[in-house]
Amino acid sequence: MRFLHCSDVHITADYSSLPLLRLGWRRWVAMAELSVGGRKKAYARAPETLATIVSDAEQHGVDHFILSGDLTAYALEPEFQLARESLGALAEDPGRCTIIPGNHDVFTPGSHRTGRFARHFGHLLESDLPEHRREGSFPFVRLVGTEAAVVGLLSARVPSMPGIAHGYIGPAQLDGLAAVVMDPRLAGRAMLVVVHHAPLTHLGRADSYFHGLKDAQALFRLLPGPRYAVLHGHIHKRYHHPSTAERPHVFSAGSSTQAGREGYWLIEVKDGQVVGGRKHLPGGALH
C-alpha cells in the first residue's frame, strides 16, 4: 500500500488588499513575516503546487492522501476556500483523504471559535471507530484497505500570541489513542498516526520549547516499532527517522509548497508494517 504525505501548504491571501481592522492585531504582527520574511513570495504559487501534488497522487495510484496541517497562512476564510479548491474532488472523500488542522489554521481565537477549518474540512474528521474519540473529533480512525489504519490527532492550539507555536495532544486524546492501539479490530494493520507538531527535529532531538510537541515522549511510548509511523509537519524540513524498538517511524513532510523546497513523501506499507518512504518533487520526480 502507498500513502502520500504532504504538509504546510500555506495558501496565502492577498493581505495588502484586505482592510486592516478585519485582519486583527495578530495578523498585523504576522504581516511582517509575509513581507520582510519573504513568505508572500515563497507561497505565491502554493495553490498550483498543491493541485500538482493532488494530481501526482492519482498518477502514483496512492491508497490514501494525508495532509498534516497548515493549509493556510493565517486562517482567513478565502485561504480555506482556495485550499479546498486546490484539493479538488479528493477532499470530498474521507476514504481517500485525511487532513488535520495546523497551528496556522487556528491562528486567531475567532477562526477557532467559528469553526473555520471544520466548515471546509470537518467531513474529513469522520471516524470508522468513533467510540475512541476523546476530544471533539479526535482521535479519529480511518481504516484503509485490510493492511493499514490512519489515525488523526489534534495538537494545534490557538496561540496566546504570534510566535508561540508549540502544541500538545493532551491526556484525553492519548487515552483514546491507547484504546485504538489495543483494539483487536486493528490487529495486523500498520498504523499511520497524523499530528501537526514535530516530535523530533531533523537532528533527532526535541524541538524548542515554543515550537515543539509537548507530549512527544508520551506519544512514542504508545507506538513502538515498525508497525507504527508518526506523520507530521510544522518544521519546514523533509526527513525520516526510521523506527526503533522504542519508537515509531517519524516522517516530516516539511513545507510541500514552499518555493525551492517543494515535495512530499510516498510512504509504503507491506504486511502490516511501515517499510519506508521516498521523497518526491511535485510533478512526480524523485528528490
Side-chain angles (χ1 to χ4, degrees):
M1 301 187 73
R2 187 175 289 174
F3 296 78
L4 191 153
H5 174 214
C6 62
S7 197
D8 292 64
V9 297
H10 290 298
I11 305 296
T12 304
D14 181 4
Y15 282 75
S16 63
S17 68
L18 299 172
L20 281 176
L21 287 178
R22 177 186 167 192
L23 293 177
W25 72 268
R26 292 168 188 261
R27 295 192 185 97
W28 298 346
V29 175
M31 283 175 72
E33 189 177 42
L34 283 176
S35 54
V36 179
R39 269 185 179 260
K40 180 179 179 180
K41 182 178 180 180
Y43 292 101
R45 292 191 53 79
E48 294 86 354
T49 304
L50 178 56
T52 298
I53 293 171
V54 170
S55 177
D56 288 356
E58 300 293 335
Q59 295 296 319
H60 290 301
V62 302
D63 296 279
H64 204 78
F65 178 97
I66 297 168
L67 202 167
S68 52
D70 278 1
L71 291 96
T72 67
Y74 303 113
L76 282 178
E77 179 70 17
E79 294 172 341
F80 283 107
Q81 291 173 350
L82 189 49
R84 182 67 184 270
E85 291 170 11
S86 299
L87 287 159
L90 183 66
E92 303 292 333
D93 187 357
R96 300 174 60 214
C97 181
T98 292
I99 299 176
I100 61 167
N103 59 300
H104 281 255
D105 303 322
V106 291
F107 193 74
T108 64
S111 65
H112 176 66
R113 185 175 58 253
T114 59
R116 202 163 287 163
F117 174 89
R119 190 181 309 143
H120 295 278
F121 299 102
H123 61 290
L124 298 178
L125 306 181
E126 295 174 6
S127 182
D128 293 327
L129 303 176
E131 62 271 27
H132 296 314
R133 289 172 169 167
R134 298 292 189 273
E135 182 183 347
S137 298
F138 300 91
F140 63 83
V141 180
R142 191 89 15 86
L143 303 178
V144 183
T146 60
E147 288 191 42
V150 175
V151 180
L153 297 173
L154 175 68
S155 65
R157 312 291 173 170
V158 179
S160 56
M161 63 180 65
I164 305 297
H166 58 247
Y168 62 88
I169 300 163
Q173 286 185 71
L174 289 169
D175 176 73
L177 178 61
V180 170
V181 169
M182 296 299 293
D183 194 312
R185 291 170 291 183
L186 274 70
R189 290 177 181 264
M191 195 175 297
L192 285 72
V193 177
V194 187
V195 65
H196 179 64
H197 288 78
L200 295 174
T201 69
H202 67 291
L203 298 175
R205 304 169 184 162
D207 201 357
S208 65
Y209 181 83
F210 291 114
H211 198 260
L213 181 65
K214 298 297 186 186
D215 37 14
Q217 291 307 309
L219 175 64
F220 281 167
R221 284 193 290 271
L222 295 174
L223 308 171
R227 178 189 173 197
Y228 305 101
V230 171
L231 281 54
H232 70 85
H234 198 51
I235 293 177
H236 290 187
K237 292 180 183 291
R238 199 162 296 112
Y239 54 89
H240 170 219
H241 296 300
S243 66
T244 68
E246 291 77 33
R247 63 161 175 75
H249 291 274
V250 176
F251 288 93
S252 171
S255 178
S256 294
T257 61
Q258 184 178 2
R261 294 186 175 183
E262 302 94 333
Y264 56 87
W265 282 102
L266 285 183
I267 298 170
E268 297 201 3
V269 167
K270 185 177 181 181
D271 299 328
Q273 294 199 338
V274 179
V275 295
R278 288 189 172 189
K279 292 185 280 188
H280 284 254
L281 297 170
L286 286 168
H287 253 248

